[in-house]
């Protein structure tokens, strides 16, 4: 069995080393072909039960907080776990990096250490499950907030390549996020991007899509600038959280039978939309895949990140 | 009792004259102080039961479809119901206009016939109910897709004035939609707008807000450009529709007790978030309030539009 190495930044998660250790052990159990290089506090990880022949440690205790100025730290002499993980990825054979640390550091570090092209534009892909059992990848989800039409085209290509590898889709359907389905609908950049995407033979462009169709399987890749994409993701997340909370509050003021049904419904929705694995952003545009898990990502979310890397790796490299 | 006149464009609704007639009769019943000027097909409306001393008709049978080119029609000699309703509003005493017709025609017509300022920027406000029983108004929801920072500031002022009148809020909390709460977060225009809003003493600026907080009552007015705003609204709508559908599908494959609870939950969510009255956009920036109801708005949605106009009118004029 070919070994697949994943590099994990074990610091930076809001959930702490205990939760990260659980995640690491879940990955080791679920993916026997995976071996890990873990960048983090070795003693603490071992204390929390990380102990396997398939694990190498790089002992680093310094992390980047969400309030640190990333641009300063990129030129600092201090070794930060997230940046060391990315540097290591540039020089060793691996299938990708997982971090739950600072988003800016993950993005800038990926572009700095893992990109060979000039002035790469960072792009964050987020995958949504829909009730039809399929997934749509939204690019960009918040890495590049001011985009040109050409950058949106680049995101379309990156997203399309990613979905090809991740789900073995031959010609992923690429939709352009806009305010209406007609080609004339949109803001200035979107209308320009429409023309570029329509003329791009490397992708399967299906036209404009609206954000209320994200869960309706109308495209495999939904392209937008990072500002709009971030609104789509957070809006969806906010509504789901509120509705589930509303059901639970309703449940508490009713009888046992109602409570049981409420729990079943919430469980069903969680399962149908794979809500437990939401929170992973995949940084595209670098030479390796870097998965940025949500800061408070639970062990299952981190394990899902490994799942993505393994899936892509089994279809060989990302950009062949 | 002072009479409050509302002008209704009775054509243009996808639901047809029957549904509109039901809406009109609901308004007449629920708001005894309201009298109506109805622009539409008089014979058809009477045939469908519209018959009251508080109703005047302007008999017009021509409507603007969603595929028509609005710019051409604005200069046409034909009398279109939506444009005639707006013209009438400019020359008669009334508390506002209700239409379920073409959005572009409603926006452009409002700016053309009901604005006295030079180059007015159309702004569409959409009101969201949250489970705390309060509401947040999102501006702009899709009228102006490419905005300057100054235009966002104007939307903030319009939204703030509107919420003052609609809910008697003394100093509505104005939030700026962005990708993070810190003042440094956002795209170029948002960062510029942040400075303008922070320096504007006419509004109560509470800083950046994220779209996952729309239902959490963190602000009374959420300001953004129309492209981002449209994404927020449609994302929320898409998720709500999908989750409710998911609950109903789940219900159908389970026993009667489960089905009953599922229906109760959907009813509770619909009530808590006032989902039946969602679909009304309020055009701000003109001299009268124009409410653009969703094309397939049901009678309750149209009635809710009248409710908004009556509420605002009872606090006197909108822009005093």
């Amino acid at each position: 069995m070919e070994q697949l190495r994943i590099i994990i930044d074990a610091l930076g998660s809001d959930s702490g080393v205990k939760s990260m250790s659980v995640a690491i052990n879940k990955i080791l159990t679920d993916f026997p072909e995976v071996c890990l290089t873990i960048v983090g506090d070795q003693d603490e990880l071992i204390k929390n039960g990380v102990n396997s022949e398939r694990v190498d440690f790089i002992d680093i205790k310094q992390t980047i907080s969400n309030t640190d100025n990333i641009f300063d730290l990129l030129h600092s002499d201090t070794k930060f776990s997230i940046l060391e993980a990315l540097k290591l990825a540039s020089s060793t054979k691996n299938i990708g990096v997982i971090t739950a640390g600072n988003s800016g550091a993950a993005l800038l570090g990926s572009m700095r250490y893992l990109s060979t092209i000039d002035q790469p534009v960072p792009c964050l892909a987020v995958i949504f499950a829909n009730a039809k059992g399929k997934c749509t990848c939204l690019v960009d989800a918040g890495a590049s907030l001011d985009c040109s039409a050409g950058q949106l085209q680049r995101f379309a290509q990156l997203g399309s390549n990613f979905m090809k590898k991740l789900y073995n889709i031959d010609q992923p359907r690429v939709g352009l996020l806009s305010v209406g389905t007609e080609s004339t609908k949109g803001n200035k950049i979107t209308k320009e991007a429409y023309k570029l995407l329509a003329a791009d033979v490397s992708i399967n462009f299906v036209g404009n899509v609206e954000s209320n169709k994200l869960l309706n399987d109308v495209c495999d890749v939904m392209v937008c600038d990072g500002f709009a994409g971030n609104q789509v993701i957070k809006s969806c997340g906010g509504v789901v959280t509120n509705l589930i909370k509303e059901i639970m509050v309703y449940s508490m003021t009713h009888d046992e039978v109602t409570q049981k049904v409420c729990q079943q419904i919430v469980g069903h929705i969680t399962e149908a939309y794979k809500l437990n694995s939401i929170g992973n952003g995949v940084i595209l545009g670098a030479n390796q895949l870097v998965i940025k898990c949500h800061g408070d990502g639970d062990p299952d979310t981190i394990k899902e990140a490994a799942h993505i890397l393994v899936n892509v790796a089994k279809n060989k490299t990302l950009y062949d």
Side-chain angles (χ1 to χ4, degrees), chain A:
Chain A
M1 183 162 56
E2 191 197 3
Q3 277 204 332
L4 304 174
R5 180 166 299 275
I6 294 174
I7 300 170
I8 297 187
D9 162 26
L11 298 176
S13 161
D14 300 339
S15 315
V17 67
K18 197 170 170 182
S19 170
M20 185 54 91
S21 302
V22 173
I24 288 168
N25 284 329
K26 275 179 180 260
I27 293 171
L28 291 168
T29 305
D30 284 17
F31 306 105
E33 70 274 51
V34 163
C35 58
L36 301 174
T37 301
I38 303 178
V39 184
D41 188 329
Q42 182 170 356
D43 290 346
E44 280 296 315
L45 287 158
I46 291 172
K47 233 185 260 175
N48 279 280
V50 177
N51 175 22
S52 162
E53 284 181 359
R54 285 150 54 210
V55 166
D56 291 337
F57 288 101
I58 308 284
D59 191 29
I60 292 201
K61 293 179 174 61
Q62 196 69 36
T63 184
I64 296 179
S65 81
N66 278 323
T67 51
D68 285 330
N69 183 325
I70 315 304
F71 290 97
D72 290 349
L73 299 183
L74 276 174
H75 302 94
S76 144
D77 288 334
T78 310
K79 289 187 169 184
F80 297 101
S81 62
I82 186 167
L83 300 181
E84 291 306 307
L86 295 169
K87 279 185 208 168
L88 194 68
S90 72
S91 59
T92 56
K93 198 180 169 209
N94 67 85
I95 61 165
V97 181
I98 297 174
T99 176
N102 182 298
S103 303
L107 284 163
L108 288 176
S110 297
M111 295 302 112
R112 186 182 173 95
Y113 302 120
L114 297 175
S115 174
T116 46
I117 64 167
D118 196 32
Q119 296 188 309
V121 182
C123 171
L124 195 66
V126 165
I127 299 162
F128 279 79
N130 62 53
K132 296 186 181 173
K134 296 175 80 177
C135 289
T136 295
C137 161
L138 181 131
V139 284
D140 170 44
S144 296
L145 304 180
D146 291 287
C147 294
S148 67
Q151 286 167 349
L152 293 186
Q153 184 183 13
R154 176 76 182 135
F155 298 163
Q157 294 163 346
L158 290 170
S160 181
N161 281 337
F162 176 57
M163 291 300 276
K164 266 183 200 169
K165 298 295 161 61
L166 186 58
Y167 293 109
N168 265 320
I169 306 170
D170 189 30
Q171 293 195 303
R173 296 159 299 163
V174 175
L176 177 63
L177 183 72
S178 195
V179 297
T181 53
E182 304 90 336
S183 65
T184 52
K185 290 279 179 80
N187 58 10
K188 197 168 154 279
I189 297 293
T190 305
K191 285 192 248 184
E192 276 177 41
Y194 189 99
K195 291 177 195 159
L196 295 180
L197 296 179
D200 188 335
V201 294
S202 76
I203 57 165
N204 173 21
F205 183 50
V206 296
N208 282 345
V209 292
E210 295 173 278
S211 51
N212 53 353
K213 297 293 187 296
L214 182 61
L215 303 178
N216 294 27
D217 192 37
V218 297
C219 60
D220 303 301
V221 179
M222 194 181 259
V223 179
C224 56
D225 71 70
F227 191 85
N230 201 263
Q231 304 315 334
V232 171
I233 287 176
K234 287 184 178 160
S235 298
C236 292
V239 172
V240 169
T241 306
N242 272 281
L243 290 195
I244 287 183
K245 201 173 149 192
E246 195 64 36
I247 294 173
M248 295 317 288
V249 168
Y250 179 85
S251 154
M252 287 189 298
T253 56
H254 287 77
D255 60 41
E256 270 183 38
V257 174
T258 304
Q259 285 179 16
K260 202 177 151 201
V261 176
C262 285
Q263 277 164 8
Q264 285 166 348
I265 290 170
V266 170
H268 172 72
I269 291 171
T270 305
E271 178 64 25
Y273 291 98
K274 298 185 176 57
L275 297 182
N276 283 340
S277 63
I278 280 184
N280 289 328
V282 183
I283 299 174
L284 304 178
N287 300 326
Q288 268 94 23
L289 280 182
V290 179
I291 306 210
K292 165 64 184 85
C293 300
H294 199 281
D296 56 9
D298 66 5
D300 281 330
T301 307
I302 310 272
K303 191 191 77 181
E304 184 61 24
H307 193 186
I308 290 174
L309 293 179
V310 170
N311 264 24
V312 173
K314 285 189 172 166
N315 286 296
K316 293 185 201 159
T317 59
L318 186 62
Y319 304 119
D320 57 8

